[in-house]
Amino acid sequence: MAIHSAALSFSCVSLNYQASGPSHRLFGPSVLRKCNVKAPVFSLPSPVSFSRSRLQGKALESENGPLEKEESLVVCFGEMLIDFVPTTSGLSLAEAPAFKKAPGGAPANVAVGIARLGGSSAFIGKVGEDEFGYMLADILKENNVNNEGMRFDPGARTALAFVTLRKDGEREFMFYRNPSADMLLRVAELDLDLIKKSKVFHYGSISLITEPCKSAHIAAAKAAKYAGVILSYDPNLRLPLWPSAESAREGILSIWDIADIIKISEEEIRFLTQGEDPYDDNVVRKLYHPNLKLLLVTEGPDGCRYYTKEFSGRVKGLTVDCIDTTGAGDAFVAGILSQIATDISLLQDENRLRDALRFANACGALTVTERGAIPALPTREAVLNALLKSVA
């Protein structure tokens, strides 16, 4: 069966935040109004700086002063967990004879994806002080991802997700996280110096579902915004994790206006606009806020669409044999962010942007040819070879 790069995402959150001060308004209501969604407004105090620490508990306060940017560094914030994937496709969880353990979690997948492509990345999040947690930290290190922003919780386990692979290669999820360690990251544990030194700060919305991680997410995003870091948002909708569809819709849109780059799927457009046509450019433009630099819509085997203030278009996907779509969207994000972090000016050049998106599409396509997310993420050499073959 032929399928391609696109991203599988679904995500949500229900709160609208606004930074103190008129010149630093982070979370605006413009898209909420367009989509007829109401969300509460909260305020946060000014960010506090904390430096790196490998263990649980507070990070040490850093000295005041300007931080030098780490060229091309992408910091990914959010969840990292263990995916259990059936060894046989097309079966329910109950029918599966066995499961393959694989590291996962969308932000962590993106971090590893960028490093595997030769880029610079770091991960910030929390895992359990258990065998799985230390295994995940080691996997990041083995893949050349800076893991100094990871924290380990002694009282909660690392999250688990059982992922069923249907006959068409699509996924269904069963999560074990009530609560899991990733939900318990606190503001005091953030490595804000690492965030401020980055070129791009990437996040989803799952980390906004519950406290205290919700406050940590907002503090991290605010610190990045103040520091002039490019903010990248992939909602990554997972409805089973939310109290309701409405809370998910409100939550996703409540942080919409802070992002410089947004990646969404066709399914997410339909969800956010409450059933409107995701292929209608006028519908998609409703989701384009005034400060957005790039809106990307992934379309599975068909590739992706792109929207900026100046231009828009579609880039075809790469046709491959699909085995498992887990991580395809994260590989796509890794592919595009690895290039934007190196040269942000490509966002103003449509031809260069299209080349970058062909590369990102190939990253997603190659990922679906193997099982699991992180194990399947491609190297730069593999992507370039696939692109050469596609035009041969």
Side-chain angles (χ1 to χ4, degrees), residues 9 13 69 115 163 165 176 275 278 317 342 354 358:
S9 355
V13 208
K69 292 283 184 185
V163 187
L165 305 176
Y176 286 78
T342 302
R354 289 181 64 85
R358 287 188 189 96

Side-chain angles (χ1 to χ4, degrees), residues 53-58 126 129 151-154 186 189:
S53 166
R54 293 174 184 268
L55 302 177
Q56 75 273 10
K58 280 191 176 182
K126 201 170 194 181
E129 196 176 87
R151 303 291 177 258
F152 299 85
D153 196 297
R186 295 178 288 113
E189 296 173 308

Side-chain angles (χ1 to χ4, degrees), residues 113-170:
I114 289 170
R116 202 164 286 174
L117 292 169
S120 175
S121 65
F123 174 76
I124 291 178
K126 201 170 194 181
V127 293
E129 196 176 87
D130 52 38
E131 288 296 316
F132 282 152
Y134 288 115
M135 182 194 83
L136 293 174
D138 288 343
I139 285 171
L140 290 179
K141 187 174 181 180
E142 291 164 6
N143 282 278
N144 299 313
V145 176
N146 180 332
N147 67 359
E148 294 180 11
M150 288 189 76
R151 303 291 177 258
F152 299 85
D153 196 297
R157 296 296 188 189
T158 300
L160 307 179
F162 284 82
V163 187
T164 63
L165 305 176
R166 303 197 308 251
K167 290 181 180 179
D168 60 2
E170 294 298 325

Side-chain angles (χ1 to χ4, degrees), residues 31-325:
V31 175
L32 290 171
R33 287 198 300 267
K34 291 179 185 177
C35 296
N36 298 316
V37 176
K38 294 180 180 179
V41 178
F42 298 90
S43 295
L44 284 174
S46 298
V48 183
S49 295
F50 298 95
S51 65
R52 302 177 189 176
S53 166
R54 293 174 184 268
L55 302 177
Q56 75 273 10
K58 280 191 176 182
L60 300 175
E61 288 193 18
S62 65
E63 296 180 0
N64 293 326
L67 294 169
E68 291 186 9
K69 292 283 184 185
E70 291 191 17
E71 189 174 355
S72 304
L73 175 64
V74 179
V75 172
C76 301
F77 175 93
E79 68 278 4
M80 189 173 191
L81 46 83
I82 302 291
D83 286 330
F84 284 92
V85 183
T87 55
T88 304
S89 298
L91 299 177
S92 68
L93 289 175
E95 294 169 331
F99 295 86
K100 179 183 177 181
K101 178 183 78 217
N109 294 343
V110 173
V112 173
I114 289 170
R116 202 164 286 174
L117 292 169
S120 175
S121 65
F123 174 76
I124 291 178
K126 201 170 194 181
V127 293
E129 196 176 87
D130 52 38
E131 288 296 316
F132 282 152
Y134 288 115
M135 182 194 83
L136 293 174
D138 288 343
I139 285 171
L140 290 179
K141 187 174 181 180
E142 291 164 6
N143 282 278
N144 299 313
V145 176
N146 180 332
N147 67 359
E148 294 180 11
M150 288 189 76
R151 303 291 177 258
F152 299 85
D153 196 297
R157 296 296 188 189
T158 300
L160 307 179
F162 284 82
V163 187
T164 63
L165 305 176
R166 303 197 308 251
K167 290 181 180 179
D168 60 2
E170 294 298 325
R171 304 158 299 160
E172 295 176 354
F173 297 86
M174 179 183 292
F175 296 93
Y176 286 78
R177 58 192 304 267
N178 291 309
S180 53
D182 61 288
M183 303 163 67
L184 303 177
L185 181 67
R186 295 178 288 113
V187 173
E189 296 173 308
L190 289 173
D191 187 343
L192 294 180
D193 284 354
L194 180 62
I195 294 170
K196 293 173 186 177
K197 289 191 293 185
S198 65
K199 187 73 171 288
V200 178
F201 180 63
H202 176 72
Y203 50 89
S205 65
I206 290 174
S207 49
L208 288 164
I209 297 175
T210 57
E211 292 288 4
C213 190
K214 181 167 66 177
S215 290
H217 181 135
I218 298 303
K222 184 175 181 181
K225 196 70 172 179
Y226 276 128
V229 177
I230 297 165
L231 300 191
S232 167
Y233 181 27
D234 176 2
N236 197 37
L237 176 65
R238 295 290 181 263
L239 271 179
L241 298 179
W242 290 88
S244 67
E246 185 61 24
S247 67
R249 187 177 295 109
E250 289 179 357
I252 293 173
L253 293 177
S254 70
I255 64 168
W256 202 261
D257 287 359
I258 187 179
D260 299 297
I261 300 167
I262 296 175
K263 189 235 60 165
I264 49 176
S265 68
E266 302 156 280
E267 295 87 353
E268 286 169 337
I269 294 173
R270 190 177 287 110
F271 175 76
L272 294 174
T273 60
Q274 303 187 58
E276 294 192 52
D277 183 2
Y279 301 100
D280 185 339
D281 283 350
N282 292 324
V283 171
V284 177
R285 283 289 182 184
K286 289 182 180 180
L287 297 172
Y288 199 99
H289 69 74
N291 298 316
L292 193 59
K293 293 180 174 65
L294 177 64
L295 177 62
L296 295 169
V297 179
T298 52
E299 299 182 330
D302 296 323
C304 67
R305 282 175 280 159
Y306 58 91
Y307 300 83
T308 73
K309 290 178 182 177
E310 289 78 27
F311 47 77
S312 62
R314 174 180 272 103
V315 177
K316 291 182 180 179
L318 211 63
T319 299
V320 297
D321 293 327
C322 176
I323 294 177
D324 176 11
T325 57

Side-chain angles (χ1 to χ4, degrees), residues 71-72 199 337-344:
E71 189 174 355
S72 304
K199 187 73 171 288
L337 291 186
S338 67
Q339 296 169 94
I340 290 174
T342 302
D343 185 5
I344 185 66

Side-chain angles (χ1 to χ4, degrees), residues 21-34:
S23 63
H24 295 286
R25 184 176 180 183
L26 296 187
F27 308 102
S30 64
V31 175
L32 290 171
R33 287 198 300 267
K34 291 179 185 177

